[in-house]
Amino acid sequence: MAAFGESKTMRIAELKLGVYLLRFLDVPEKFQRMQADTIAFLRKFDFSNLTVRRGAEHKLIDADELIPGDRVLTFGRLAAPVMIAKQEHLNVLIKVGFQQVLVVEPVRAQQPAANTSFTLAVPAQAPWAKVEPPKPRPKAPSVVIEPIAVESPPNEPSLKRKNDAGDLHQIQDNLSWAKRLAKESNQILEELYESNFINKEAVQATDQLSVEMAKLVEANPHAGNVRSLLKDEDEYTYHHSIDVAQYVISVCHLMQGYGGKQLASVAVGGLLHDIGKSKLPKNLLKKQTKFTPQEKELMRQHPQLGAQILSDLGYTDLQIDIAKHHHVLRQGGYPRQDYDKISNLARLTGVADIYQALTTKRPYKTTEVPGSALQTLLKLSKTQIDPRLVILFIKSVGVYPIGSTLRLKSGEIAFVVGKGTNTARPQIVPVIDKQGKQILHHQLIDLSDPEFAALTVDQPVDHREYFANEALDIFQNLSVL
């Protein structure tokens, strides 16, 4: 699948065939009062989160909930990007009366350019700084993935666009896709873990979902990360695997230019990195308190069990290496293995595994906000994990990760919606004012813009304290023009 460029606003008259429609930015007169034909039109596009006036009330509904008489105030996002493939499609949009839309165009994937100015303080003589890729197995599939070239990541694209909400809209446009994939992945992983034997059909379905995850990351690498941060948490084991896979492939795509089958193959390794836990007692996986020493020892068997499962099913050496060695550290970890003999992708999966565990709420531990979790990774990089991959991970998610929540010194609570040109001054949208009331009219603020120099970040905060389990829905429905 081709990668997508940045979203942009276009007039209907400027549209050409082959672009993908993301969002309608104006409300034609036809939709001032809904009738049967206009309701049918909107349902064809599978709209979600339409803001309508119904009598004296304002409601947020999906297209299938529309009734005659509703007045559309703002359009939400399409469930997935829709390609304008025929001239008839353009004619319909013109006839209906739309003026402006948000679109993306597919672009050919390019090899990332080297950025020789990026250096890391890694001693060249350090044994863990040298990585040998695993030798290819005869039965491995044809997809071959090179180790991550951590020495020279490409330049990040500039996000310097004052008052431009296009990046936020693109994330929002893909969140429904990200949520659907997470739900499907959760169902398949649950089937794998709950079975007393490995269900080959479910494993094959995991392969298909990995292709979809790769397509999502190519369309927008941040949407899945936002879902991972703000999700309503329930089945930890399954969501943990989904989140880890998402973080790993977003790093590989953003920082290394991975795409297509290569990216999907990495996603498989991420989704199945904990598959060995399917062989452990089910009550151990669902335990809500700390493990006893005996239970810890039992849990530490899962990497080797997982590697055996994937080996028996014919997965690649690299995917097996991810399952077997994602808990190996420079000093310790399990199973016992020299850190310099495991792949970069196994190490990166270990980094993502730690970050996801730190930022996810569990009854027996303190949850860290994303910024604090990144600081923990930096501390661990001094002795336990690869500092080069920690830097790549932080450059990918951002010093203030998109989807994280900040308190400003002026008292407002805001979502981070973009990295900005200054990593310490992200793009934000305030959602709670200094009196603690919800903000209804949202404004995108680029803190790196001199106009907002007086606004400063107080500290990252836990979104659960302010939004409970509604943070993801609130983020998805931020209305910024």
Side-chain angles (χ1 to χ4, degrees):
M1 175 181 172
F4 288 102
E6 297 177 356
S7 60
K8 57 184 176 180
T9 300
M10 294 186 70
R11 297 184 63 80
I12 292 293
E14 300 171 336
L15 289 180
K16 56 185 179 181
L17 301 183
V19 301
Y20 283 75
L21 181 63
L22 298 177
R23 187 188 189 109
F24 294 118
L25 298 180
D26 59 308
V27 181
E29 187 176 347
K30 276 181 174 287
F31 301 110
Q32 297 299 313
R33 188 168 294 277
M34 299 302 297
Q35 298 179 0
D37 59 337
T38 48
I39 290 175
F41 174 83
L42 292 182
R43 286 178 178 173
K44 283 183 180 180
F45 280 97
D46 196 17
F47 275 99
S48 60
N49 301 321
L50 293 160
T51 304
V52 302
R53 179 178 293 169
R54 182 175 293 172
E57 296 181 320
H58 288 74
K59 292 181 174 290
L60 190 67
I61 62 174
D62 294 339
D64 58 4
E65 299 174 272
L66 286 167
I67 62 174
D70 283 345
R71 178 183 176 186
V72 176
L73 302 178
T74 61
F75 285 99
R77 293 147 299 282
L78 299 176
V82 175
M83 185 175 73
I84 300 176
K86 300 179 181 179
Q87 183 61 41
E88 296 92 296
H89 297 166
L90 288 176
N91 295 341
V92 168
L93 296 179
I94 294 170
K95 183 177 180 180
V96 170
F98 287 106
Q99 299 295 320
Q100 287 190 319
V101 290
L102 187 70
V103 300
V104 289
E105 295 184 79
V107 296
R108 290 185 178 181
Q110 297 180 351
Q111 293 296 324
N115 175 15
T116 55
S117 64
F118 180 82
T119 58
L120 289 170
V122 181
Q125 69 274 19
W128 46 266
K130 301 173 183 177
V131 182
E132 293 296 330
K135 295 180 180 180
R137 284 159 39 90
K139 65 177 179 179
S142 58
V143 176
V144 178
I145 301 176
E146 296 298 324
I148 297 176
V150 295
E151 278 74 18
S152 55
N155 285 315
E156 295 181 69
S158 171
L159 295 178
K160 190 175 183 180
R161 287 187 301 279
K162 181 179 178 180
N163 295 330
D164 183 2
D167 290 331
L168 171 59
H169 290 158
Q170 194 176 41
I171 293 170
Q172 292 174 313
D173 294 333
N174 287 283
L175 271 176
S176 295
W177 189 2
K179 290 192 287 188
R180 176 179 63 80
L181 287 180
K183 182 177 180 180
E184 293 176 4
S185 299
N186 189 72
Q187 292 171 343
I188 290 170
L189 290 175
E190 183 176 11
E191 183 176 348
L192 281 173
Y193 279 78
E194 295 296 329
S195 300
N196 291 323
F197 58 93
I198 293 299
N199 184 327
K200 291 187 177 181
E201 290 184 359
V203 172
Q204 291 172 351
T206 304
D207 294 344
Q208 292 298 317
L209 280 169
S210 297
V211 173
E212 282 289 300
M213 288 184 71
K215 290 179 180 180
L216 170 63
V217 166
E218 289 185 281
N220 186 275
H222 301 297
N225 290 354
V226 171
R227 186 214 62 81
S228 296
L229 273 184
L230 300 180
K231 66 182 179 297
D232 179 10
E233 294 140 344
D234 41 28
E235 295 290 349
Y236 175 76
T237 297
Y238 316 132
H239 277 301
H240 171 75
S241 296
I242 298 163
D243 294 347
V244 168
Q246 166 62 36
Y247 287 131
V248 169
I249 62 175
S250 66
V251 172
C252 289
H253 179 67
L254 279 172
M255 308 309 299
Q256 301 294 315
Y258 283 21
K261 292 182 179 179
Q262 188 183 41
L263 196 62
S265 186
V266 175
V268 170
L271 279 174
L272 299 180
H273 79 282
D274 272 345
I275 191 63
K277 290 181 179 178
S278 65
K279 296 295 186 182
L280 299 179
K282 302 302 179 285
N283 62 335
L284 186 63
L285 300 182
K286 297 179 180 294
K287 188 174 181 182
Q288 298 294 305
T289 56
K290 287 185 176 182
F291 294 138
T292 66
Q294 294 79 13
E295 289 170 335
K296 283 184 179 179
E297 193 60 35
L298 190 59
M299 182 62 75
R300 287 181 175 181
Q301 297 177 17
H302 82 266
Q304 291 168 301
L305 292 171
Q308 187 61 54
I309 290 170
L310 296 186
S311 178
D312 291 344
L313 291 171
Y315 280 88
T316 68
D317 277 344
L318 203 52
Q319 291 161 340
I320 295 168
D321 189 56
I322 289 172
K324 188 173 184 179
H325 294 132
H326 63 277
H327 283 302
V328 173
L329 303 172
R330 283 159 56 191
Q331 299 177 17
Y334 57 91
R336 289 187 176 275
Q337 177 66 47
D338 291 339
Y339 196 71
D340 61 329
K341 292 183 179 179
I342 68 174
S343 68
N344 276 319
L345 280 171
R347 299 182 192 186
L348 178 60
T349 303
V351 172
D353 185 283
I354 294 170
Y355 177 77
Q356 198 280 346
L358 290 172
T359 55
T360 300
K361 186 177 180 180
R362 300 291 284 153
Y364 52 80
K365 72 173 185 66
T366 302
T367 305
E368 294 190 22
V369 296
S372 175
L374 295 177
Q375 289 295 323
T376 298
L377 290 181
L378 285 171
K379 291 176 183 177
L380 290 173
S381 72
K382 295 178 181 179
T383 59
Q384 298 297 326
I385 53 181
D386 193 329
R388 304 166 303 168
L389 293 175
V390 170
I391 294 297
L392 281 185
F393 188 88
I394 294 174
K395 283 176 69 68
S396 173
V397 302
V399 173
Y400 292 112
I402 297 173
S404 61
T405 311
L406 304 177
R407 180 167 59 231
L408 305 180
K409 288 189 176 179
S410 53
E412 292 92 345
I413 302 299
F415 280 125
V416 176
V417 299
K419 293 183 182 179
T421 56
N422 180 339
T423 57
R425 304 277 293 169
Q427 295 176 334
I428 63 171
V429 173
V431 287
I432 296 178
D433 65 22
K434 60 185 68 178
Q435 283 78 38
K437 296 180 180 179
Q438 185 176 351
I439 296 173
L440 299 179
H441 302 289
H442 301 126
Q443 177 188 10
L444 188 147
I445 296 173
D446 188 343
L447 292 178
S448 62
D449 192 313
E451 179 183 348
F452 302 108
L455 286 178
T456 55
V457 176
D458 180 18
Q459 64 181 25
V461 293
D462 189 341
H463 65 270
R464 303 169 189 85
E465 296 180 9
Y466 299 92
F467 312 115
N469 289 327
E470 298 178 357
L472 186 56
D473 288 337
I474 294 171
F475 186 99
Q476 189 171 9
N477 293 308
L478 294 174
S479 181
V480 179
L481 297 178

